[in-house]
Amino acid sequence: MSTARQDHAVQVALEAEHPDTIETRLWLEEHEWLYGLLRSDDNVSPTFRFPDLISACVSLVFLHDGAATRIFDFLGTQLVLRPPLTPRRRESMWRQQYELLLAVQRSPANRHPNPKFQLDQLTTACVALCRQLDEPDAIVLRQARLNMAERSARWRSPPNA
């Protein structure tokens, strides 16, 4: 079985197991930063995991107007200069934040004649942009709490409310 088919099979299995999360990949540098945040003494009560931390980064980028512009600016000026075969780590994010990135991936800015960026690059850009914030660890953990509270409220509300 080809690697692409294996990856797709894993994606389908993960979605069936956790339908509210979507698999993505993070470039190594950003993954290492989030891993440090995951293991930090500040990540307590509850201890947030990668889907929470990645989704918090995506949410933070989309809090401000021009999120897509900021993402493509990072991709076109910084990420594009990294070696294209940079290792990536497989992780997950919450579906709500994935939908935000999917809209950017399908936008005219990601179509011909512009270069085509993939989900892992868009996700990595959001994490990298958050790393540039003042006190990024505290801000990302705060956003993870806000996202969790929003998800919990949505799950508790009746389906047609």
Side-chain angles (χ1 to χ4, degrees), residues 52-118:
D52 303 304
L53 299 175
I54 292 169
S55 295
C57 290
V58 173
S59 293
L60 285 165
V61 170
F62 280 87
L63 282 177
H64 306 286
D65 291 338
T69 301
R70 291 181 57 220
I71 290 169
F72 284 117
D73 182 56
F74 174 82
L75 293 170
T77 61
Q78 296 181 49
L79 195 72
V80 74
L81 298 176
R82 294 185 190 178
L85 298 178
T86 296
R88 291 149 174 87
R89 296 290 180 257
R90 184 179 297 151
E91 296 297 343
S92 296
M93 75 172 84
W94 290 99
R95 186 172 294 277
Q96 182 179 4
Q97 285 73 30
Y98 163 75
E99 296 293 338
L100 295 170
L101 292 180
L102 185 60
V104 171
Q105 187 176 18
R106 292 178 174 167
S107 73
N110 204 33
R111 289 190 203 131
H112 181 76
N114 300 311
K116 180 180 179 182
F117 292 101
Q118 302 298 328

Side-chain angles (χ1 to χ4, degrees), residues 9 13 16 21 31 49 52 62 65 83 86 103 118 126-127 155 160:
T21 60
H31 186 275
R49 299 182 182 178
D52 303 304
F62 280 87
D65 291 338
T86 296
Q118 302 298 328
C126 289
V127 174
W155 287 341
N160 293 343

